[in-house]
Amino acid sequence: MAVKDYIRKRFFPHLWCPGCGHGTIMTAIIRAIENLDLKKNNMVVVSGIGCSARISGYLDFHTMHTLHGRALAFATGVKLSRPELTVLVPMGDGDACAIGGNHFIHAARRNIDVTAIIMNNNIYGMTGGQYSPLTEYGDLATTAPYGNIDHSFDVVKLATGAGASFVARTTTYHVNPMIKILEKAIMHKGFSVVEVLSQCPEQFGRRNNIPSAVDMLNSYKTNTTPIGSKEKEKNPDLIERGIFVQEERPEYCAEYDKVIERASKGR
Amino acid sequence: MKKDIVFVQGNEACVRGALYAGLDFFAGYPITPSTEIAELLSEHLPAKKGKFIQMEDEISSMCAIIGASLTGKKVMTATSGPGFSLKQEALGFAVMTETPCVIVDVQRGGPSTGLPTSGSQGDVMQARWGIHGDHAIIVLTASNGQDVFAMTVEAFNLAEIFRTPVILLLDEVVGHTRERLVEPKAGEINVVERLRTSVPEGTDYHPYLPREDGRLPMSDFGGTHRHNITGLAHDMWGFPSNKPDVVYGLMHHLVDKIETHVNEITRIKEFFVEDAECLLVSYGSAARTALHIVKNRRARGEKLGLLELQTLWPFPARLVRERCSSANHIIVVEMNMGQILGEVKKAVENPERVFLANKIDGGFITPTDVLNFIRITQGKGV
């Protein structure tokens, strides 16, 4: 099928700015779903609030555009009540790691079979460029005009520490690897986290001396390296990409089935 | 025939009512004095293949039940004061997206942490106006275990009929009082099931297009109609819209679908109302005290009556005005500083007849408390 068979034309044109990386992520999600031959009626996409969250409306699945930071909580309700559905939760960096940080770590801890895609553009884009928990120390933002003094989360470490059984990082430059990683994340039985570095030339780049989307994309090429590469040894500042965690662990809905079984026998 | 009689807390009556109504999914967070509801459902729901989850907070509990409701399940959460405050954000989402769900608030003393183990009726206005934005809401209450059971079933029914969240406003006294409950047999109380669309696959389904009777048939997530749910103002397809005519229509729909059905939603109980010279208006646990006085004084020949409200919102103003028309004095008995008093004053003619008999110190309002107020209105002093 073509990409257009997975989108809702009624919603277009989309509201993402020229040069934004989020459309690339949307296409990669569609390609992954197509490659896995998943049926549209079995797909649920739950998003929060922000630029990233608009992805749910554009996709022709069962879609929920919910509250800022709360997408994983809504998704938990969907998945636990209908475990046979495939649930994707695209989130922004502020969405997932600031206002939704608590829901994020607890979804990871439960290991519920939901795929969280963190579309990390290091900024609050929709509200006009305020610093997020993934804005680096020293970066400029509309609420950090003298430079950001917060330190950012490492999403991979955060998710791993919280108990996610699949954790990966990729970028909008690395589209084909992103599709492969998304396929694995969706098929993984458990809570999977895919952080995608996604350029925001309009709200982040413009304020941080990298206003061109192409330059930002190239920076993903030059500033990242596959996990365990020799380049990383030479240059520890390089950001690693690839699959960090992929483990089989008891999944929440499957565990709940055991509770039902125990309950049917009485305590 | 032997009846199914049990001796249970109000919170357990609520649980039994919810299971009777077909509860499939509960998400919650421990908080006094509602915790027994979660505890009991963690035991009983899995036994009927239902789902129970203790979430990380009150916010996520409210979100999770909305998600589950959209897959076609009957859902509930239970909480108290501080937790009810946290649920307001997602409660607004349920109002905007017209998602059926039941929220139990077992009221305790507030504001803030307040009096966790004391009865109060201080959340009446929060239940009405806790969320931001204009809206209408259905709020039910009950004064004893038997009514808690019935009103819980009503809450589920009204949530389905009007595609809306329904708040069941209990209080610590009702929630923790153990008393006799005669469990209704299956079929004894009507149970309303979800109205699903008859639109076939491949035909455009409008999740927000009311039928002629005003009801909006739903389509389950995971079913044949892939539609969009959003907290943004939206059109009949569920697509975001800020067109003034669409927003105007949406706002009127959200309010009118409830406010124009006040009579259908109103549940009351009346005791000696007709010839009452002094009419008490009360609800929830305070109505127990009011009823005690009324019965006591009637036995002495005093013309007291009680109008017990079981639907607080939408407020049955016309009915209250009518019932209060011939009373010399109207005394609102409640455990707050006059949250329903104001509504009664607004509703009746000659509002100078309306007085408040209340208690706000954490103690339960007693017949003596109320009698003292009545004596004052009668010019007898305390």
Side-chain angles (χ1 to χ4, degrees), chain B residues 102-146:
Chain B
V102 174
I103 301 97
V104 184
D105 173 17
V106 187
Q107 297 169 92
R108 66 191 225 186
S112 190
T113 313
L115 298 161
T117 57
S118 296
S120 163
Q121 296 176 320
D123 300 353
V124 172
M125 280 297 170
Q126 189 187 18
R128 176 63 188 90
W129 289 115
I131 75 169
H132 59 274
D134 277 308
H135 67 285
I137 193 96
I138 298 175
V139 180
L140 307 179
T141 182
S143 59
N144 61 65
Q146 197 68 47

Side-chain angles (χ1 to χ4, degrees), chain A residues 163-211:
Chain A
S165 52
F166 183 104
V167 182
R169 181 190 285 129
T170 183
T171 88
T172 48
Y173 179 87
H174 303 89
V175 176
N176 286 327
M178 173 166 33
I179 294 169
K180 292 290 161 226
I181 283 174
L182 286 170
E183 286 172 21
K184 286 177 184 158
I186 293 167
M187 293 314 290
H188 177 74
K189 188 89 179 146
F191 189 69
S192 38
V193 179
V194 180
E195 179 191 12
V196 187
L197 307 185
S198 177
Q199 74 278 9
C200 177
E202 189 63 29
Q203 302 292 6
F204 183 85
R206 214 157 42 90
R207 296 195 174 85
N208 288 283
N209 296 323
I210 183 161

Side-chain angles (χ1 to χ4, degrees), chain B residues 17-156:
Chain B
L19 292 169
Y20 184 96
L23 176 71
D24 298 301
F25 188 103
F26 179 95
Y29 187 82
I31 184 166
T32 304
S34 77
T35 308
E36 294 85 2
I37 295 174
E39 287 175 338
L40 288 163
L41 284 170
S42 74
E43 182 183 347
H44 295 299
L45 265 179
K48 55 162 275 191
K49 295 190 165 53
K51 304 293 168 73
F52 168 93
I53 185 168
Q54 184 174 312
M55 293 294 286
E56 56 271 19
D57 55 27
E58 301 280 3
I59 302 168
S60 50
S61 306
M62 187 65 212
C63 297
I65 66 163
I66 295 170
S69 179
L70 289 169
T71 70
K73 303 295 165 77
K74 287 196 176 180
V75 302
M76 182 170 94
T77 186
T79 187
S80 185
F84 191 50
S85 295
L86 287 171
K87 291 192 192 296
Q88 298 299 327
E89 181 195 32
L91 179 59
F93 185 83
V95 167
M96 187 57 134
T97 59
E98 303 188 58
T99 306
C101 52
V102 174
I103 301 97
V104 184
D105 173 17
V106 187
Q107 297 169 92
R108 66 191 225 186
S112 190
T113 313
L115 298 161
T117 57
S118 296
S120 163
Q121 296 176 320
D123 300 353
V124 172
M125 280 297 170
Q126 189 187 18
R128 176 63 188 90
W129 289 115
I131 75 169
H132 59 274
D134 277 308
H135 67 285
I137 193 96
I138 298 175
V139 180
L140 307 179
T141 182
S143 59
N144 61 65
Q146 197 68 47
D147 289 354
V148 168
F149 187 104
M151 284 301 120
T152 305
V153 179
E154 289 284 8
F156 279 92

